[in-house]
Amino acid sequence: MRISDRDFLTDIPAADDLKEKLVSYRKQGEIVDGWLKIRLEKVLPMVMKREGIDTWVVCNHEHNEDPVFRTLSPWGMLSARRLTILVFHLNENGTVSRYSLTHPVPDIGSYYTAAWLNPKGQAWGHDRNLPKNVNGVKVSEVPETQMECLGRFVHELHPTRIGLDYSTVTAYGDGLSYSLYQEIMKVLPEEDRAKVVSAAPLCVGWLETRIDEELDAYSGIVQIAHALIKEAFSSRVVHPGVTTQDDVRFWMMQKSVDMGLSPWFEYDCEITREGLGELSGEHVILPGDLLHCDIGFRYLGLCTDTQEMAYVLKNDETDAPKELKDAMAATNRLQEITLNEFAAGRTGNEILASARARAEAQGLEPCIYCHPLGFDGHAAGPTIGLWDMQGGVPGEGDYVMHDHTCYSLELNAAVPLWGQKVPFSMETDVMLRDGKKYYMAGRQTQFHLIG
């Protein structure tokens, strides 16, 4: 939906109702694999051309996978096989040819053309009458190891710039192990070694860019998070005087697992109590308590990250106190200010600085720590502040924001509450799509009320 104050709390179904809409593991695989084919055909050529890398090598061992590997492989391929090498080459016509240099792996057969065709020392390659080429790929006249094949194959592509996944800035571009880097550099001809560059910007671009089909589904995924929190912050789960905040936290974790969702961090639920502040340890929830939760799960390969607030009504109350409403309104205003600064072409640090300046000019005390959202919860892309780095984030804060990307709008405003300044934290998920900004499945503008 577009930027607005739409009240999503009254019109979303319960988590139990949404559970019936979730598709099976098998169906999820069919959907995600369909998206992968579109991404490989649309996103990859665009990003390779934008970043000026015409040949990209993704090389990883089983159980030590490159972060980008699982997003380049089909649903059923849960890990690399032994040593798995993928090679991508940007053709003059703008398409990308995709190759696998690995043992025969049926999972990737419909996505990649096999290029290691005359293996040395491998039983599966013995006693064959080898043709000169298979599916347009030249077959070596002599048996080759995987690395020998890689060196020859890349050279015959006549690359201009060869991208390898190493980076001092982002883990998402640093998935190539040191030993494999050494092996690759050893087998590349000297003239090709001089063409090797970091593929980190390519890795980030590939990971952060969402196709229309993913964006169409994303709001529904985030709606599940809102529904789960709505149910958790209700009398169905919370019995004041009996239920603890850990009871709520683990209820949300268990509910997620029961629904077929995969939590990507351990959920949190906190109590703030008048006169005592935020309570440490496990405590029974009481009337007058302010509850805060933080949850995030993965579904259809995409992650959510959401923080919302609830108030436990006292016996003589029908609504949250005005000072709590004012606190939420202040944080909502900070959300609006920050999201309005989001724009393609700006760095995370630029967005952070301008949002903070605007917020302070309006009398707010902001702490902004937004982050990209996608295949991971803390995903690849421009970081927009960290809670302990409000002056800018070197490296990842210098990445430029692009269209067709998603973010978790995570922040807090220090507000007067119960005689002291309290950081009032909220988090909702947003997208940039075709130059416009949207709250995915709305945002919280009023408390969940428990009573």
Side-chain angles (χ1 to χ4, degrees):
M1 65 171 291
R2 299 180 190 278
I3 299 175
S4 76
D5 288 328
R6 174 171 174 258
D7 176 15
F8 68 92
L9 298 176
T10 59
D11 58 9
I12 58 173
D16 280 334
D17 297 327
L18 281 175
K19 182 179 180 182
E20 301 303 317
K21 298 182 180 180
L22 301 187
V23 298
S24 67
Y25 183 85
R26 178 180 181 180
K27 183 63 176 178
Q28 288 186 59
E30 294 173 358
I31 293 170
V32 174
D33 283 349
W35 291 348
L36 174 59
K37 289 184 178 180
I38 298 171
R39 290 179 55 80
L40 290 170
E41 292 170 1
K42 292 185 177 181
V43 176
L44 191 56
M46 179 274 292
V47 177
M48 291 185 72
K49 182 178 180 180
R50 185 181 75 196
E51 302 303 336
I53 294 175
D54 63 302
T55 304
W56 183 26
V57 178
V58 177
C59 181
N60 47 196
H61 282 295
E62 187 172 359
H63 306 310
N64 191 28
E65 286 79 13
D66 188 312
V68 301
F69 177 76
R70 65 180 171 83
T71 70
L72 292 163
S73 57
W75 180 265
M77 193 170 184
L78 301 181
S79 67
R81 301 291 194 273
R82 302 185 191 177
L83 173 61
T84 300
I85 304 173
L86 304 178
V87 177
F88 305 88
H89 183 68
L90 180 63
N91 303 306
E92 291 184 1
N93 65 3
T95 63
V96 171
S97 297
R98 310 185 300 268
Y99 305 95
S100 65
L101 283 67
T102 187
H103 294 76
V105 180
D107 292 334
I108 61 176
S110 61
Y111 299 85
Y112 296 89
T113 300
W116 185 29
L117 302 172
N118 190 6
K120 179 190 295 184
Q122 302 293 323
W124 57 269
H126 286 179
D127 302 322
R128 295 181 301 163
N129 295 318
L130 295 173
K132 291 185 177 181
N133 68 75
V134 176
N135 295 324
V137 176
K138 178 182 175 181
V139 179
S140 173
E141 296 181 358
V142 298
E144 303 170 300
T145 66
Q146 272 177 280
M147 283 298 174
E148 289 170 343
C149 178
L150 177 64
R152 173 190 62 80
F153 186 76
V154 168
H155 179 70
E156 291 176 354
L157 291 174
H158 305 293
T160 301
R161 296 179 82 220
I162 303 169
L164 298 182
D165 295 353
Y166 60 86
S167 173
T168 59
V169 175
T170 175
Y172 288 110
D174 197 34
L176 179 65
S177 71
Y178 179 64
S179 61
L180 287 177
Y181 173 82
Q182 290 181 307
E183 290 188 53
I184 292 172
M185 296 301 284
K186 186 184 300 182
V187 298
L188 286 177
E190 184 176 353
E191 63 184 281
D192 291 331
R193 290 199 294 271
K195 301 174 183 177
V196 170
V197 298
S198 168
L202 171 54
C203 294
V204 171
W206 163 257
L207 291 169
E208 72 173 350
T209 305
R210 305 268 68 82
I211 58 174
D212 286 332
E213 290 80 358
E214 290 172 312
L215 292 177
D216 289 341
Y218 221 145
S219 289
I221 297 171
V222 175
Q223 186 186 52
I224 298 170
H226 291 320
L228 196 150
I229 295 171
K230 180 182 178 182
E231 188 171 349
F233 280 165
S234 75
S235 58
R236 293 186 62 184
V237 176
V238 179
H239 184 174
V242 177
T243 308
T244 70
Q245 83 271 36
D246 276 358
D247 291 335
V248 178
R249 176 165 67 94
F250 283 109
W251 181 91
M252 291 189 292
M253 292 283 290
Q254 188 64 54
K255 187 75 170 183
S256 297
V257 173
D258 291 345
M259 292 174 69
L261 310 170
S262 301
W264 62 268
F265 67 92
E266 188 169 4
Y267 296 175
D268 189 25
C269 185
E270 301 165 339
I271 299 173
T272 300
R273 186 169 294 165
E274 184 174 4
L276 296 175
E278 184 179 314
L279 305 182
S280 61
E282 186 173 9
H283 295 268
V284 172
I285 297 169
L286 299 176
D289 282 347
L290 179 66
L291 304 183
H292 170 273
C293 73
D294 189 356
I295 75 169
F297 56 78
R298 182 180 286 109
Y299 177 60
L300 292 174
L302 299 173
C303 289
T304 69
D305 196 3
T306 315
Q307 296 177 36
E308 293 182 13
M309 311 287 287
Y311 178 70
V312 186
L313 296 169
K314 298 178 182 178
N315 290 338
D316 59 349
E317 292 178 322
T318 59
D319 200 355
K322 182 179 183 302
E323 61 180 332
L324 287 180
K325 291 183 180 181
D326 290 344
M328 180 171 288
T331 308
N332 285 153
R333 194 159 72 251
L334 179 57
Q335 289 176 326
E336 294 163 6
I337 291 170
T338 304
L339 186 55
N340 280 327
E341 295 299 324
F342 279 33
R346 304 186 73 188
T347 68
N349 287 334
E350 290 171 342
I351 294 168
L352 173 67
S354 57
R356 282 186 55 83
R358 284 191 57 204
E360 289 171 349
Q362 293 188 29
L364 297 174
E365 295 184 33
C367 185
I368 299 169
Y369 35 99
C370 308
H371 56 84
L373 194 67
F375 291 125
D376 292 286
H378 294 156
T383 297
I384 305 160
L386 295 172
W387 65 268
D388 57 345
M389 299 181 72
Q390 290 295 286
V393 181
E396 291 186 332
D398 295 317
Y399 277 119
V400 170
M401 184 173 283
H402 292 103
D403 200 65
H404 273 65
T405 52
C406 298
Y407 300 87
S408 195
L409 192 66
E410 185 176 12
L411 42 75
N412 74 66
V415 296
L417 185 64
W418 297 326
Q420 59 184 322
K421 281 290 183 72
V422 175
F424 201 94
S425 303
M426 299 180 71
E427 184 175 19
T428 193
D429 300 332
V430 300
M431 70 170 69
L432 269 68
R433 186 174 190 176
D434 301 325
K436 299 178 182 178
K437 291 161 278 196
Y438 301 84
Y439 291 110
M440 293 194 276
R443 63 167 176 162
Q444 183 177 23
T445 58
Q446 58 182 278
F447 285 94
H448 299 276
L449 298 176
I450 303 169

